[in-house]
Each structure stands twice: as structure tokens, then as C-alpha cells.
Amino acid sequence: EDGVWVHRYPEGERLLPALDAHPLRDNLAHCAAVWRAIDAADRRFGLDLVAGNVWIAEPLLCAIDPRWPTVLTCSTPIRTIAATQPAVAAKPHTEWQARIEDAALVRARHLIPVSHANLEMLRRLTPAAAEVPATVVWHGMVDRAGAALEQPQHENGARLPSDQHELPAVEHPAVEVLFVGRLEPRKGIETLLEAVPELLRERPQALVRIAGADNPYAAEDPRSYAERLDGRLAGDPALRRRIVFEGEVSDEQLDRLLASSDVFCAPSRYESFGLMNVEAMMFSRPVVSCRAGGIPEVIADGETGILVDVDDADGLRRALRELVDDAELRT
């Protein structure tokens, strides 16, 4: 597949069903399945190195096995996710998952954090990992912008909405603000939804699109974010129609949304790196994001975007207003 051999293995039989009551039953079964798959590949082909992600401690048993040096790519640790999302912190398996992530980190031969902020966070939360050599490697991606479909336009220059939604007519060509990400507190969706109603009242030419699925795992409120906004803006249906929830989208739809947007907004509370910001810059879009985690290593404040403080809805509104108002600045 794309020049890489891919071997898929079923999870297999639960060898210790008595552990099914344990909070980490699924996580442990997955770690065991990964080890069995690596062991089988090693016996068939011979392996020199195992590389995996620290998330859910996937390569933990490989790191314990003396046959293979194991390298871990380091994404956002569960302790950090829990710190930004109370619903995750309250789950019974969260502390256990943090412990096995720690175990994987300290047993790795080498760490590959995705930003300097990511490395600093890991070593602060897991001091024993400071003894493991590490090399920061930022994310990259293939440039997809040239292949994206051109968005159809109205005769007056305003962009057509996607097939799913009808947007109100506007007097001027719309300036479209796009958010992409899981709808959960860590991604800053609540800050965005606090900021944009007033922005849209002030700027009738502005529209906001939100692409991403609600994440019930991280939610304290069982309602979707669209339903919550429906309640808040029940008295202003015209304004509510200018905030469009696209739901989960395909890669092709995402590229079309990025190509048709004018401003990208990702007010995350924390990102180890923030790959969605690189995707937006791939399409030459200015980014509004936060001074958190690895984001300042990706966005040059005042050059490729505007950075605001975490949870600062007023600052976010001011930054978006500045870019909505000034096409030259956006360029």
C-alpha cells in the first residue's frame, strides 16, 4: 500500500478473561495483539527496529521484549488530555493509561517528540523519561493544495455552500472562517462558539464552518455542540444559519473546505504539534490559534497567523475580526 508492506492481524482470543473487569482490559488486549503481530513478523522476516506511538502504550510489550530496540513517537500524553478535559480525567481507566504510557516511555530506546514543547511536557510529567535519548521531529505532509477542487461560485463572487447546507445570501462576497477538529474541549470549540456570535453580528459578510465529529468520550454535556448552540441562538435563527456544522468529512471534502475558506481557526487548549494548522497553511490560509504546546513552533505570530491566549474568547474575536476586515492582511 503506497510502497509499504502492511500486515493486519486480528486481536485474537482473550487469554485472561478474568481481567475483563479491569479498566485497561481493551488497552491490554490491544498491546498483546500488537506484540503477537510483531513477533510473527520477526519470525517470518527478521526485524531490526520497532517504531510506534506512545498513545495507549501500543508498543509497550515490544519495548519490554529484548529482541527489538523500540522507538516511540510521542503524541499528546493522556495526562495532558485529562488536564484540559474534566470528563476524561474522571474516567476510571485514565490514571491506569497514564501509568502504562509512562512504562512505555521509560523502556523505549529512543523518543521522537513532535515538538520541543511536547518533549518538555513529557519530561515534566514522566521525569524518568529524561534519561531516554530524544530527537524532535516535526510533522510534515505531501502538498495537496494543487489537487483540490475549485469551489463553485455565485455570479456575484460569493462562494456556494456545500451540498449539505444552504447559507443566507450576503451583500458582499462571504469571508469564511473554518474550524477543523474533533468537537471537544481540548480543541477549543467552546471558545470559538463563545466568540463568533458577536463577530457575526458585527460583520454580516462573515460565515463560520465547523468540520469535525462530536467526541462523546470527552464530553460532560450529552448534547452535541450544534444542539447547544441551537438553544443559545434560538431567538436569532438568521445568525444561527451562518454557523454551519459540517460533521465528520472525508479527506477530499476537507481539502475543498480548506480551499474555499479565507481564515482558519484552531483555538486549541493544547496541541503537541497541531497538524491541522499545517494543512491550512498548505492552502495559504492565515491561522488563528493559541499560545499552547507546540503551536508557536508551527505558527509564526503576525507572519503566518495570529496567536491568542488559551480560553480568551475576546482575544479570539478580535483576531478573527482583524482578518475578516482586511483582505490584504489575510494575503
Side-chain angles (χ1 to χ4, degrees):
E1 298 179 7
D2 297 324
V4 177
W5 284 103
V6 179
H7 302 265
R8 292 185 173 83
Y9 293 81
E11 182 177 284
E13 180 187 359
R14 293 286 181 97
L15 300 179
L16 296 172
L19 291 180
D20 278 353
H22 194 280
L24 283 183
R25 62 191 184 276
D26 295 327
N27 205 157
L28 293 172
H30 182 66
C31 288
V34 168
W35 179 87
R36 286 196 298 270
I38 297 298
D39 176 64
D42 183 54
R43 284 186 278 107
R44 285 186 67 190
F45 308 107
L47 300 176
D48 301 303
L49 178 75
V50 171
N53 199 298
V54 72
W55 176 243
I56 68 173
E58 196 168 52
L60 171 61
L61 299 185
C62 302
I64 292 172
D65 194 312
R67 287 177 289 175
W68 316 298
T70 301
V71 175
L72 292 189
T73 297
C74 302
S75 55
T76 304
I78 189 66
R79 293 189 197 279
T80 303
I81 294 173
T84 58
Q85 300 185 154
V88 174
K91 295 184 185 299
H93 66 268
T94 296
E95 180 56 33
W96 285 100
Q97 185 172 330
R99 293 183 193 184
I100 63 169
E101 284 187 6
D102 290 349
L105 286 167
V106 300
R107 286 168 173 80
R109 185 73 61 86
H110 205 94
L111 302 179
I112 304 180
V114 298
S115 67
H116 293 286
N118 181 210
L119 177 59
E120 179 186 345
M121 172 72 72
L122 288 168
R123 287 180 167 169
R124 184 166 71 250
L125 296 177
T126 311
E131 303 302 318
V132 182
T135 304
V136 172
V137 180
W138 292 280
H139 287 307
M141 57 177 51
V142 174
D143 188 352
R144 307 191 307 268
L149 297 175
E150 287 293 326
Q151 186 79 354
Q153 294 189 338
H154 287 297
E155 290 182 3
N156 67 358
R159 290 184 180 85
L160 285 169
S162 69
D163 295 339
Q164 292 176 278
H165 305 283
E166 285 295 332
L167 295 176
V170 292
E171 295 179 4
H172 309 288
V175 177
E176 191 165 299
V177 176
L178 175 66
F179 170 98
V180 175
R182 292 187 307 277
L183 305 192
E184 62 184 28
R186 183 167 70 91
K187 297 297 183 180
I189 181 63
E190 292 163 345
T191 309
L192 179 70
L193 293 180
E194 182 181 347
V196 297
E198 184 177 334
L199 172 72
L200 296 181
R201 290 188 182 101
E202 297 171 344
R203 301 297 186 266
Q205 76 274 30
L207 307 169
V208 174
R209 288 194 191 277
I210 297 169
D214 281 86
N215 182 8
Y217 175 87
E220 295 178 277
D221 190 329
R223 296 175 300 164
S224 70
Y225 280 95
E227 290 170 334
R228 299 182 213 182
L229 193 65
D230 290 343
R232 284 176 50 200
L233 298 182
D236 196 342
L239 181 66
R240 173 64 184 84
R241 286 196 297 272
R242 291 165 59 202
I243 305 173
V244 180
F245 288 82
E246 298 282 353
E248 190 170 4
V249 299
S250 68
D251 290 343
E252 293 76 15
Q253 289 171 312
L254 173 60
D255 286 351
R256 287 197 293 269
L257 288 170
L258 288 164
S260 67
S261 67
D262 298 286
V263 178
F264 186 79
C265 184
S268 298
R269 289 174 168 175
Y270 184 86
E271 296 285 350
S272 291
F273 179 80
L275 193 62
M276 67 284 181
N277 293 327
V278 177
E279 290 183 302
M281 291 193 292
M282 179 198 308
F283 286 85
S284 302
R285 299 300 177 252
V287 175
V288 179
S289 195
C290 291
R291 301 180 186 93
I295 295 172
E297 297 175 43
V298 178
I299 300 300
D301 192 15
E303 182 179 343
T304 56
I306 300 175
L307 298 181
V308 301
D309 291 334
V310 170
D311 294 333
D312 182 2
D314 289 336
L316 184 65
R317 186 184 304 112
R318 288 193 297 271
L320 290 172
R321 184 191 299 129
E322 187 176 3
L323 287 167
V324 166
D325 287 349
D326 193 336
E328 185 176 348
L329 179 62
R330 293 197 301 270
T331 301

